Amino acid sequence: MNYGIKSPSTPDIGDYLKVFACTAVMLQTILAQGLQTHPTINVQIGIGISYNLIKFTAPAFITGILYTTMRVTHDIDLSYRGYLLQMWHSLFIPTIAWTFIYLLIMPNVQQVSHYQSIGSFVWQFVNGNAAPHLWYNSMMLQFIVLMPFFWWLASWCGQSKHRGQLVLLATLVIQFIWLIFYDQQVFHGPHANKWYLLDRIFVSFLLYAVIGTLSWQYHQKIHRFSQKWWLMAVIAVSAFIWTNAELFAFRFPIHLTNAPYYKPSMTLYDMSMIGLIAALGSYQLTRQLPITHLIHRLANYAYPAFLSNVFWNQLLWWGFGNALTNRRPVLGILVVYVGTWLLSLASAIVIHKSWAWLNRRFRRRSV
């Protein structure tokens, strides 16, 4: 994917984070659909565990976006206006197009409420409720707009170890305060219904944007740290057990809303999973394995594939997935997931190639 500037010609860790996040996020909607078929307790347990396992998606996406964006902009003279203009074409236009598709062609996938007027249509359009996954998008685009802050942050840190540590520590404190506030006021709190949009405000994911920025700024030190993957694996397993214990403490039936991003266990799990993915990418990049180029190519289509995945999911689910999942839950979830992944990637490639072909034809005629 082109994040508003020329894509790097060589793979990086950001590619791994985006591909893993995109691959995992497509399963979240399908797991939620699986619960709607009222499966057995054992299947519910499997769905809950699987949901927690892939709950690193939004943090990994944000970290990957910031890492790659910092990499390709750190040594070029790019104005903010020029940056936004390019981002408009690569991010905002596809977002607008797919949001229209969901609201006009698949209005049933809206979240919380449905539009009843022009005003409510516009509100659903911008708040991320047009489809189950578009709240990610509303959150992610805020970081695109706020990119000058992260450019400044990277410049201020420079190569100073102490400044980097200070920024990370301050961000962790902010994140901890935010988690306490969210737990007490929103998550099963007095404002759970009124303040639910806080889950897509940039502050909720600021930690991961800062991690992405610092990871590039100190990428040589990060590479050495990634060799301690076993430590991150221990933390990930421990946090995974912790967050599953919290989910199943709510008893049955399982409600996936009881597994939010905004709690210490999930934050710890997300950070350790980001570290493990980065360690895997660093290992393969260092050894120049052929798979790194495949990951790089897939990363170019991660965002458009993400935008379209609910569209294809709905076609498969109502075509045969619902009936199959009612009879064979595990098989149904697996088949719909694989089909959604393949169709989302294929549509992203076809749309990209078709758009490039039309652009070439238009330029030839205008010459």
Side-chain angles (χ1 to χ4, degrees):
M1 172 189 168
N2 182 353
Y3 292 98
I5 25 80
K6 185 177 180 181
S7 296
S9 58
T10 56
D12 65 21
I13 289 174
D15 292 334
Y16 280 78
L17 291 169
K18 286 173 281 189
V19 169
F20 272 77
C22 181
T23 301
V25 75
M26 295 183 188
L27 183 56
Q28 289 188 357
T29 301
I30 300 168
L31 290 174
Q33 290 171 329
L35 280 181
Q36 294 173 5
T37 63
H38 307 292
T40 64
I41 295 296
N42 287 337
V43 173
Q44 290 185 53
I45 292 173
I47 288 176
I49 292 174
S50 299
Y51 190 77
N52 277 328
L53 182 66
I54 61 172
K55 196 69 177 180
F56 60 86
T57 53
F61 228 123
I62 293 300
T63 303
I65 287 172
L66 267 294
Y67 183 94
T68 300
T69 302
M70 297 306 300
R71 177 193 175 194
V72 298
T73 60
H74 76 286
D75 61 352
I76 64 174
D77 183 17
L78 181 66
S79 70
Y80 182 51
R81 183 173 179 274
Y83 171 77
L84 285 183
L85 180 62
Q86 294 176 68
M87 296 300 282
W88 171 259
H89 291 286
S90 61
L91 289 181
F92 285 88
I93 289 179
T95 295
I96 292 170
W98 277 106
T99 303
F100 269 121
I101 289 173
Y102 288 120
L103 286 175
L104 298 178
I105 299 179
M106 294 183 171
N108 60 294
V109 300
Q110 291 177 83
Q111 304 296 291
V112 183
S113 61
H114 288 209
Y115 65 85
Q116 303 294 332
S117 63
I118 294 178
S120 58
F121 179 92
V122 173
W123 178 234
Q124 291 290 89
F125 195 97
V126 301
N127 67 10
N129 284 339
H133 64 316
L134 290 184
W135 75 269
Y136 280 77
N137 211 55
S138 298
M139 174 268 298
M140 184 269 292
L141 292 178
Q142 294 174 62
F143 288 102
I144 300 303
V145 175
L146 293 171
M147 194 57 64
F149 168 76
F150 299 101
W151 288 333
W152 170 83
L153 186 65
S155 177
W156 184 78
C157 288
Q159 291 302 310
S160 170
K161 176 181 177 181
H162 297 296
R163 288 192 174 187
Q165 291 173 340
L166 177 62
V167 168
L168 181 59
L169 177 61
T171 309
L172 285 170
V173 170
I174 293 172
Q175 181 75 6
F176 181 71
I177 294 173
W178 182 258
L179 292 177
I180 294 175
F181 165 78
Y182 193 92
D183 180 67
Q184 295 182 354
Q185 299 297 321
V186 183
F187 181 54
H188 293 302
H191 304 290
N193 295 325
K194 295 180 180 179
W195 291 0
Y196 73 93
L197 288 175
L198 288 177
D199 67 3
R200 65 207 66 180
I201 299 298
F202 75 93
V203 177
S204 297
F205 292 87
L206 179 62
L207 172 63
Y208 309 108
V210 171
I211 289 175
T213 301
L214 296 181
S215 294
W216 167 252
Q217 197 65 19
Y218 302 98
H219 59 275
Q220 294 179 341
K221 296 182 178 66
I222 293 297
H223 171 69
R224 291 194 293 270
F225 178 75
S226 67
Q227 296 174 5
K228 300 179 180 180
W229 61 267
W230 53 270
L231 176 60
M232 290 178 283
V234 171
I235 296 173
V237 171
S238 301
F240 183 61
I241 294 172
W242 181 11
T243 197
N244 276 301
E246 290 177 329
L247 174 61
F248 295 121
F250 288 97
R251 306 300 179 183
F252 296 92
I254 292 294
H255 295 285
L256 298 182
T257 52
N258 290 325
Y261 285 105
Y262 320 108
K263 54 183 182 177
S265 60
M266 192 61 74
T267 300
L268 192 61
Y269 176 71
D270 291 339
M271 291 178 64
S272 56
M273 284 300 296
I274 289 170
L276 284 173
I277 296 170
L280 174 64
S282 180
Y283 173 84
Q284 295 185 346
L285 289 165
T286 301
R287 286 155 181 77
Q288 299 181 341
L289 301 182
I291 194 174
T292 62
H293 297 286
L294 173 61
I295 295 293
H296 182 58
R297 287 193 292 270
L298 290 175
N300 290 329
Y301 301 108
Y303 183 68
F306 158 75
L307 285 175
S308 68
N309 85 89
V310 170
F311 177 85
W312 298 112
N313 161 262
Q314 288 292 297
L315 295 183
L316 294 177
W317 182 254
W318 296 115
F320 65 86
N322 188 15
L324 179 59
T325 305
N326 272 284
R327 296 194 305 270
R328 303 281 297 277
V330 176
L331 179 62
I333 290 171
L334 180 62
V335 171
V336 173
Y337 170 64
V338 173
T340 298
W341 191 91
L342 291 173
L343 288 170
S344 299
L345 179 63
S347 66
I349 295 172
V350 169
I351 291 173
H352 173 78
K353 298 293 185 182
S354 299
W355 185 253
W357 179 79
L358 288 173
N359 276 337
R360 289 194 299 269
R361 288 289 299 270
F362 177 77
R363 290 174 182 173
R364 289 173 185 171
R365 291 184 178 183
S366 60
V367 173

